[in-house]
Amino acid sequence: MSNKAGARGILTLYRHILKLHREKLPAPVRNLGDSYLKAEFRSHLRGKTSMEQWTKFVKEWKGYYGMLRGDGEPDADLALSTLSNEGLDELLSKDQQKRMTQLKEEINNFKNNGAKE
């Protein structure tokens, strides 16, 4: 990404999400979320990302940030159904598929056991 102002905005969003993870998520979910967040931001910042991809990337992470902040209602069932879309695996690398499976398991554990630390 060559636009320094745009990059600063992306890094600010990244820092805000990490801060909300520390404040709002239990340790096991926070660890998974932090590692996923770092990997995704790193791959988009270092990779060849088109403007269309950047726009969608930022929009989705801003939505997630709003949900963590309380602007939207977190819904585990909706999250699971979104993560279970047919054909999604075809779009993801093997590493992303593995992380997605871990995320689904954490959501199920959190949903079934509550916010125990």
Side-chain angles (χ1 to χ4, degrees):
M1 180 176 209
S2 61
N3 186 337
K4 288 184 180 184
R8 267 185 258 135
I10 297 291
L11 293 174
T12 299
L13 176 62
Y14 172 79
R15 284 188 212 104
H16 286 312
I17 294 171
L18 281 176
K19 181 180 177 188
L20 283 175
H21 278 185
R22 283 192 310 269
E23 294 172 359
K24 305 232 178 197
L25 298 178
V29 177
R30 181 176 53 242
N31 293 336
L32 180 64
D34 286 353
S35 65
Y36 182 77
L37 177 74
K38 289 174 187 176
E40 286 298 303
F41 272 73
R42 190 172 290 134
S43 70
H44 278 77
L45 285 170
R46 292 181 180 163
K48 294 180 181 176
T49 307
S50 71
M51 187 53 76
E52 180 182 342
Q53 292 168 325
W54 267 115
T55 303
K56 184 171 174 104
F57 179 80
V58 171
K59 178 184 174 202
E60 294 299 324
W61 282 106
K62 282 184 177 180
Y64 175 72
Y65 173 69
M67 184 197 68
L68 282 178
R69 213 175 48 201
D71 297 346
E73 282 297 311
D75 185 343
D77 291 329
L78 177 60
L80 283 175
S81 67
T82 302
L83 297 177
S84 300
N85 285 339
E86 293 296 321
L88 184 61
D89 288 341
E90 296 171 8
L91 301 173
L92 302 176
S93 69
K94 294 294 182 191
D95 184 51
Q96 289 172 323
Q97 289 174 13
K98 181 180 175 184
R99 285 186 278 163
M100 188 65 70
T101 301
Q102 290 173 330
L103 182 58
K104 288 177 189 179
E105 290 169 1
E106 287 295 329
I107 290 171
N108 280 327
N109 290 339
F110 187 77
K111 183 179 170 186
N112 295 332
N113 301 324
K116 297 178 185 175
E117 265 191 77

